[in-house]
Amino acid sequence: MDESLTQNPPPPRPSRPKWRRRCVVLGALLLAVWFFRASLLRGLAAGLIVDDHAVSLRQGETQREPADAVLILDGDRQFDLAAELYRPGTTTILIYRSRPNRLVRLGVMPPTDETARQEILKRGIAHGDLDEIAGESLSRSTVGAALGRWLADHPGRKVDVLCDRFTSRTWRVAFKRAVNPSLAGQISIVPLPDRHFDESDWWHSKVGTVGFLNGYIRLGFHYCRPGQEADRAERTTAEFRAAYAGGAGR
Amino acid sequence: MKAANFLRRRWRCLAVALILAGGCFIYVRHEALLCRVGRWLNVAGRLERPIDAVMILGGGASTRPFVAIEMLRDGLAGKILVNSTERTNENLDGLVPHEQELIRQILLRSGISADAIVLLTTQVGSTAAEALVVAEWLEEHPAQSLAVVTSDYHTRRARVLINRACGENAARLVFIGAPTDGFGANDWWSSEAGLVSYLTEYLKLGIALVR
């Protein structure tokens, strides 16, 4: 009689525990993340940036047509770039003016629009090429609404908006909401990198990391909360006194 | 085998039900929860008696100095110490004055005597660095008490770092929370500035606790 027929089949080998396989996969994933960390971090930061100039150059334009106006919002060395984009007699430099805050009223800080005006004139821009748009507050929706009004008053004119690199997408979202869709196409975002960091190295410095995190929080806020942001009400002397008497906060 | 599967399914159902119930609870009570989250950061005390000096921590120049000014006007503090913060891009370009100079101007314009203003020389770029300045000041002034004025949502982290740096001298400290323009613990999530301030504060607090 064949011996193999009488023998019991071998017991099934216990399958490798699931958790071990999962650990291997997780380890490989972490290794890949570590290996490609620079590209991943750069890609994450790119999500915060809108650069209409770079897009038009990628689309085959060799040199971009200068805009009719340049709006200075924020960003490092914004006045230097505004002066670079300026063409005498054809470019209007727009400055945003809002209600003066406590420090301006106290006389310890010049109004931001006045500082901008001084800096622009210092760079050789003609006084006649300056224009002002105004709003009640510094909230993005208010700035967007003011820009929308200017565009409506100046049909067909294109505006370059100079802003901080890591808040450029947030500005785009705010403009889309605040500006009439038929006019929104006349706005180009020009994001300005900080002198200490940009999307390729933000994680090397504290200021870059803070800028990145704040950028995503701001963007998230504007994505999730459509509509007008409430104006920032100033605190009163009574509220300052209540701070040490133990009753501060709203 | 069947019994084990049945039990596992039941646990899964229970977990899903708990998550859904938690989600509903958060949705219904989110304002109250967010208020609690905001208030938790504020550990400011009240000033029970006059104090020798008040130190204004860096940042928040539009509100923090005004609390210190009112304390001096009420006769609750003898002098104001102003930290020297690191220079920003705007300072370097001459667009806005350095924060220490800005605060000095605020104090002078508000009628505080120049003799009552002490400009500290150590340059600080973080709350941890400011904690060392506080510790040094308490060491050099062993009989004096100090109020630390900062934004209300920053008081918990400031207390953690400063108490750690000061050791036993921390008993001579009181933390005062200045309110912020436009948002507070009860509505921080409804403004961009509030959301940025509170969320990053939690992150920084986590780092301060771990270090």
Side-chain angles (χ1 to χ4, degrees):
Chain A
M1 203 167 149
D2 191 354
E3 218 171 89
S4 65
L5 289 174
T6 57
Q7 262 180 356
N8 288 333
R13 278 177 63 191
S15 62
R16 188 185 277 183
K18 266 185 187 172
W19 63 265
R20 201 182 289 175
R21 222 178 311 154
R22 283 178 187 163
C23 281
V24 170
V25 171
L26 188 71
L29 206 66
L30 287 175
L31 207 67
V33 167
W34 176 251
F35 192 72
F36 295 109
R37 66 189 184 284
S39 311
L40 288 169
L41 293 170
R42 207 178 302 131
L44 280 175
L48 292 171
I49 301 165
V50 172
D51 190 344
D52 290 325
H53 276 204
V55 168
S56 52
L57 288 177
R58 269 202 303 272
Q59 284 171 349
E61 287 181 33
T62 47
Q63 200 173 6
R64 204 170 178 279
E65 209 175 292
D68 304 301
V70 175
L71 170 62
I72 301 171
L73 287 182
D74 52 23
D76 197 12
R77 295 179 173 138
Q78 49 192 316
F79 304 113
D80 293 334
L81 188 67
E84 270 178 43
L85 295 173
Y86 171 70
R87 302 282 175 277
T90 56
T91 314
T92 305
I93 303 291
L94 295 174
I95 294 169
Y96 182 73
R97 178 168 55 83
S98 71
R99 203 174 41 203
N101 64 18
R102 184 185 294 118
L103 301 187
V104 173
R105 291 197 307 273
L106 195 63
V108 294
M109 283 270 282
T112 48
D113 57 293
E114 193 46 47
T115 305
R117 188 183 306 277
Q118 296 298 330
E119 291 297 321
I120 281 298
L121 293 175
K122 240 192 260 177
R123 286 162 176 80
I125 289 161
H127 197 274
D129 287 335
L130 289 182
D131 199 358
E132 211 173 64
I133 59 171
E136 273 297 291
S137 73
L138 288 169
S139 78
R140 292 180 206 277
S141 48
T142 315
V143 175
L147 177 60
R149 285 193 296 274
W150 189 89
L151 285 169
D153 292 343
H154 300 79
R157 299 193 76 180
K158 290 187 173 171
V159 182
D160 278 346
V161 175
L162 308 188
C163 61
D164 172 64
R165 200 160 182 81
F166 282 8
T167 51
S168 53
R169 190 169 295 280
T170 309
W171 276 115
R172 167 55 53 84
V173 172
F175 288 150
K176 271 194 175 168
R177 297 235 168 91
V179 178
N180 188 324
S182 63
L183 301 171
Q186 291 164 233
I187 301 171
S188 294
I189 305 273
V190 184
L192 309 178
D194 190 280
R195 72 192 70 177
H196 300 298
F197 66 90
D198 64 8
E199 62 271 29
S200 66
D201 60 357
W202 60 267
W203 58 94
H204 291 307
S205 63
K206 183 184 162 187
V207 64
T209 309
V210 170
F212 170 81
L213 288 173
N214 288 354
Y216 266 108
I217 296 170
R218 290 177 206 283
L219 184 60
F221 176 82
H222 284 276
Y223 263 126
C224 299
R225 283 186 74 94
Q228 197 86 5
E229 192 186 343
D231 281 350
R232 296 187 67 184
E234 285 190 352
R235 299 291 180 168
T236 61
T237 304
E239 285 175 298
F240 290 136
R241 293 170 82 102
Y244 51 88
R250 285 181 166 194
Chain B
M1 192 72 171
K2 266 186 183 173
N5 274 345
F6 176 70
L7 267 177
R8 199 179 299 157
R9 261 204 305 273
R10 241 173 54 168
W11 277 114
R12 273 186 193 160
C13 285
L14 193 67
V16 169
L18 277 174
I19 290 168
L20 282 175
C24 290
F25 179 75
I26 288 170
Y27 181 75
V28 172
R29 304 273 304 157
H30 75 279
E31 290 225 347
L33 288 171
L34 290 170
C35 286
R36 271 172 178 263
V37 166
R39 284 195 206 119
W40 188 77
L41 289 175
N42 187 356
V43 293
R46 63 177 71 212
L47 216 50
E48 305 286 358
R49 57 181 181 278
I51 207 142
D52 295 297
V54 47
M55 182 186 283
I56 303 168
L57 295 192
S62 60
T63 53
R64 296 177 193 179
F66 294 92
V67 173
I69 289 164
E70 293 307 319
M71 287 165 72
L72 245 73
R73 282 179 179 161
D74 281 351
L76 289 169
K79 57 189 167 190
I80 298 178
L81 316 178
V82 187
N83 266 317
S84 175
T85 51
E86 277 178 358
R87 280 169 166 74
T88 62
N89 291 344
E90 288 81 10
N91 295 150
L92 295 171
D93 292 346
L95 299 176
V96 289
H98 181 224
E99 192 180 63
Q100 191 182 44
E101 176 55 23
L102 183 65
I103 293 176
R104 194 179 77 88
Q105 288 298 328
I106 294 169
L107 300 176
L108 291 173
R109 295 256 179 159
S110 303
I112 303 297
S113 143
D115 299 337
I117 304 168
V118 180
L119 301 179
L120 301 171
T121 50
T122 310
Q123 205 158 71
V124 290
S126 65
T127 309
E130 286 180 310
L132 298 177
V133 174
V134 173
E136 196 181 331
W137 191 89
L138 290 173
E139 278 292 323
E140 287 169 3
H141 303 82
Q144 296 194 5
S145 51
L146 181 71
V148 175
V149 174
T150 186
S151 299
D152 47 14
Y153 62 84
H154 182 227
T155 48
R156 184 173 286 275
R157 182 161 59 98
R159 192 178 70 174
V160 166
L161 292 167
I162 292 173
N163 282 359
R164 194 185 287 164
C166 295
E168 284 179 2
N169 286 337
R172 290 186 277 133
L173 283 173
V174 58
F175 291 87
I176 304 296
T180 317
D181 284 335
F183 63 87
N186 294 347
D187 60 0
W188 58 270
W189 62 92
S190 60
S191 71
E192 182 189 317
L195 195 70
V196 167
S197 302
Y198 275 75
L199 290 187
T200 50
E201 188 57 32
Y202 264 100
L203 199 69
K204 289 175 184 173
L205 178 65
I207 294 167
L209 289 172
V210 170
R211 272 187 186 164

